[in-house]
Amino acid sequence: MVEKYSLEILDRPDLFYQLINNMTDLVFLTKVNPDKSLSYVILNKPAKDLYGLTNESFGKPIQEVLPKNAYHIVRSKYEEAMENKKPIKYEDMVTVSHLPQSSNKEVIYWESTITPVFNQDGECTHLLAIVRNLTEQREKENEIQRIKDRLELVWNSVADAMFTFDKNQNIVSVNRSFEKLLGWTAEDLVKDKSIIFVPEGEKEDLSKIIERVKSGETVTNHEVKRITKSGEIIYFLGSFSPLYNQNGDWDGGVVAYKDITERKKYEDMLKQLALHDPLTGLPNRTYFSQSLKIEMDKAKCSKTLLSVFVLDIDHFKNINDTYGHDIGDEVLKEFVERVKSALRKNDIMARIGGDEFVILVPDLKEKTNVIEIAERIKQCLSSVWQVGITRFQITSSIGIAFYDYPFNLDDKVLFKYADLALYEVKVEGRNNYKIYEDIGTG
């Protein structure tokens, strides 16, 4: 039945032309003439419409009916098919005008399949060309490529360091800012699966963030530290976003790092200024009070001994009045350096006023330890001082109080007791130290 129907089609040219004219593909049947010239035998309607051909075009050499540029391409491909004696396929781009002398031109992309037809003597008598219009497909592909190019331009133009990773947490790509700020290339990181730019202490935090990203969460403004290829630490605000494949399944993530290293330095500087004395570099009263409360809690929990020293420079006002504040400032700085040399590593010295200082002495094994420290302070101050061309003999008065069992003092009372002991030293003539317990209970 099928064969009979097929034969009927061949016997009915009108039906045959109806079929090929309804095809969206272009059909060209070209005759190879004895002189090797080429002329069209059959063209379907889409093929005619492409170059504006008519029935009068049949039988003429194709160079007379085709645009010059199109003819050269067609001729070379037809010759290639005849020489190879088998079908060939190629793609081409053609610019056409719908109206003569029109500047409105259209670019059309074609995929052509040319099949040579041979007679019994092995001579090529005809060439069948089926041409498919790929313009819509190529335009979509070109648009996708344009979008990719734009995204790549943005990707490599942003100041933030960025990278992507796959669902196995392997690095896929990094942008230029990442390479510039951190020094690592994508090739470096693909080879090294340890995520070498993340410090060991931050890797657990990163794993927790990735688990959140896996669940579809976007994590923003997360402060992190990262290591450059040269070993420098950089502070970033990180934003972590999930990526999905075409099925909607989690497929990795993209990370953006905003460099906040300078901001961190500025914040640290502000903290330094807020909690430290700008002249001597010592902690100030606020820092000392915070540290004292912390150490008092530790001492109470561990049942250990703690002490506070309050000290000042004897007759410091006379130095300022006689020699000026510049010399006075130098004396203060020298005083700090000498006293610090007498302290233990964990002791904290702070400046709380003009020439007023406090010392926090934690983790004492016994009360006699403070006497050793006080004696060392007296000793380190005893040698003659030289500030510029001026020589001084500097002494200090020291009041000491203990925080020990039953640990029922607060920080203000403890400080008050040390200050009362200092007052007693001044009453008795200065240049000495006294423990609050030795002057009574109040």
Side-chain angles (χ1 to χ4, degrees):
M1 187 69 178
V2 173
E3 292 179 357
K4 181 179 180 182
Y5 183 70
S6 300
L7 289 174
E8 288 178 354
I9 292 176
L10 295 176
D11 290 336
R12 290 187 56 187
D14 60 324
L15 183 57
F16 171 74
Y17 282 111
Q18 183 180 349
L19 287 173
I20 66 169
N21 284 328
N22 288 333
M23 293 173 61
T24 56
D25 290 349
L26 283 64
V27 178
F28 298 81
L29 181 60
T30 304
K31 181 180 179 182
V32 181
N33 298 308
D35 62 355
K36 301 302 181 185
S37 64
L38 304 173
S39 56
Y40 288 130
V41 177
I42 295 175
L43 300 175
N44 69 349
K45 186 176 185 304
K48 289 180 183 179
D49 292 344
L50 175 64
Y51 295 116
L53 302 179
T54 66
N55 291 337
E56 295 177 356
S57 304
F58 295 108
K60 293 182 179 180
I62 63 173
Q63 64 264 35
E64 295 181 12
V65 297
L66 290 180
K68 187 175 182 180
N69 62 333
Y71 166 71
H72 288 301
I73 295 172
V74 169
R75 179 78 197 195
S76 65
K77 294 300 180 182
Y78 280 5
E79 289 177 351
E80 182 182 343
M82 288 187 287
E83 182 179 344
N84 291 338
K85 296 183 178 181
K86 62 181 180 181
I88 65 168
K89 182 181 288 188
Y90 72 97
E91 289 190 23
D92 188 24
M93 180 182 74
V94 177
T95 302
V96 298
S97 295
H98 295 290
L99 294 173
Q101 309 303 320
S102 171
S103 60
N104 184 19
K105 298 182 183 298
E106 180 183 2
V107 175
I108 303 177
Y109 297 86
W110 303 106
E111 179 187 75
S112 301
T113 302
I114 301 174
T115 304
V117 180
F118 297 89
N119 62 19
Q120 294 179 349
D121 297 328
E123 295 176 344
C124 181
T125 60
H126 294 81
L127 292 152
L128 177 64
I130 306 296
V131 181
R132 177 160 297 174
N133 190 333
L134 299 179
T135 304
E136 183 177 353
Q137 178 183 337
R138 291 293 176 261
E139 286 179 347
K140 288 180 180 178
E141 291 172 354
N142 291 340
E143 181 60 26
I144 291 172
Q145 186 59 48
R146 282 194 291 270
I147 292 171
K148 286 182 178 179
D149 292 342
R150 289 169 187 161
L151 289 175
E152 185 174 356
L153 179 62
V154 173
W155 171 257
N156 285 314
S157 298
V158 294
D160 293 349
M162 300 180 71
F163 72 93
T164 61
F165 61 92
D166 62 23
K167 61 184 177 182
N168 297 315
Q169 300 179 31
N170 296 319
I171 302 298
V172 176
S173 63
V174 304
N175 69 349
R176 287 176 189 163
S177 291
F178 188 101
E179 294 181 357
K180 182 178 178 181
L181 287 170
L182 289 158
W184 305 100
T185 65
E187 290 74 18
D188 293 331
L189 301 174
V190 166
K191 294 174 185 175
D192 190 319
K193 304 299 184 183
S194 64
I195 316 183
I196 196 170
F197 61 93
V198 180
E200 284 300 324
E202 297 254 329
K203 288 187 176 177
E204 183 178 352
D205 178 62
L206 178 61
S207 296
K208 292 178 180 177
I209 291 174
I210 291 177
E211 287 302 315
R212 293 167 63 184
V213 172
K214 279 184 181 179
S215 66
E217 182 179 354
T218 296
V219 180
T220 60
N221 297 323
H222 189 81
E223 190 171 308
V224 299
K225 289 186 293 185
R226 296 296 181 255
I227 306 173
T228 68
K229 198 170 185 178
S230 61
E232 179 187 358
I233 293 292
I234 297 183
Y235 290 86
F236 291 106
L237 273 184
S239 294
F240 305 78
S241 303
L243 295 175
Y244 302 94
N245 62 22
Q246 58 187 0
N247 297 321
D249 299 323
W250 183 75
D251 199 36
V254 59
V255 181
Y257 287 146
K258 183 179 182 62
D259 186 359
I260 58 168
T261 304
E262 291 303 316
R263 191 186 87 182
K264 286 290 293 183
K265 289 179 180 178
Y266 181 69
E267 290 174 353
D268 291 343
M269 181 186 72
L270 291 180
K271 289 178 183 177
Q272 176 76 10
L273 291 174
L275 297 175
H276 288 77
D277 169 48
L279 176 65
T280 63
L282 288 178
N284 60 16
R285 184 189 292 270
T286 301
Y287 183 102
F288 183 84
S289 296
Q290 293 173 355
S291 300
L292 178 58
K293 290 176 183 178
I294 292 171
E295 291 299 330
M296 288 175 70
D297 288 340
K298 289 181 181 178
K300 187 172 184 179
C301 290
S302 60
K303 303 294 188 292
T304 54
L305 190 62
L306 176 150
S307 178
V308 169
F309 288 33
V310 178
L311 62 161
D312 60 16
I313 300 174
D314 293 333
H315 307 297
F316 180 72
K317 185 176 184 300
N318 293 340
I319 296 174
N320 266 343
D321 292 344
T322 303
Y323 301 102
H325 288 280
D326 289 344
I327 295 296
D329 287 348
E330 294 303 315
V331 170
L332 287 170
K333 290 190 280 187
E334 177 68 19
F335 177 82
V336 168
E337 292 305 314
R338 292 197 181 202
V339 173
K340 283 171 65 177
S341 69
L343 303 180
R344 304 171 310 165
K345 181 179 179 180
N346 295 330
D347 298 338
I348 299 173
M349 183 178 183
R351 184 185 181 196
I352 60 172
D355 68 318
E356 297 176 87
F357 299 87
V358 287
I359 302 172
L360 172 58
V361 185
D363 300 320
L364 288 167
K365 293 183 179 179
E366 49 188 62
K367 292 184 177 182
T368 54
N369 293 147
V370 300
I371 297 174
E372 297 171 5
I373 295 172
E375 288 290 347
R376 288 202 300 270
I377 293 174
K378 286 184 65 177
Q379 182 62 35
C380 75
L381 299 176
S382 62
S383 59
V384 177
W385 293 40
Q386 182 84 35
V387 179
I389 60 172
T390 308
R391 294 167 66 87
F392 299 96
Q393 191 69 48
I394 300 294
T395 60
S396 177
S397 299
I398 305 171
I400 304 170
F402 288 108
Y403 180 66
D404 60 354
Y405 187 82
F407 301 106
N408 57 357
L409 302 180
D410 62 26
D411 58 305
K412 293 182 176 60
V413 173
L414 180 62
F415 185 87
K416 176 185 175 182
Y417 285 173
D419 204 38
L420 288 173
L422 171 65
Y423 176 78
E424 288 296 320
V425 174
K426 291 182 177 293
V427 169
E428 294 180 5
R430 294 181 168 82
N431 189 26
N432 206 348
Y433 59 88
K434 189 171 285 291
I435 297 173
Y436 175 77
E437 290 178 350
D438 295 341
I439 66 171
T441 58

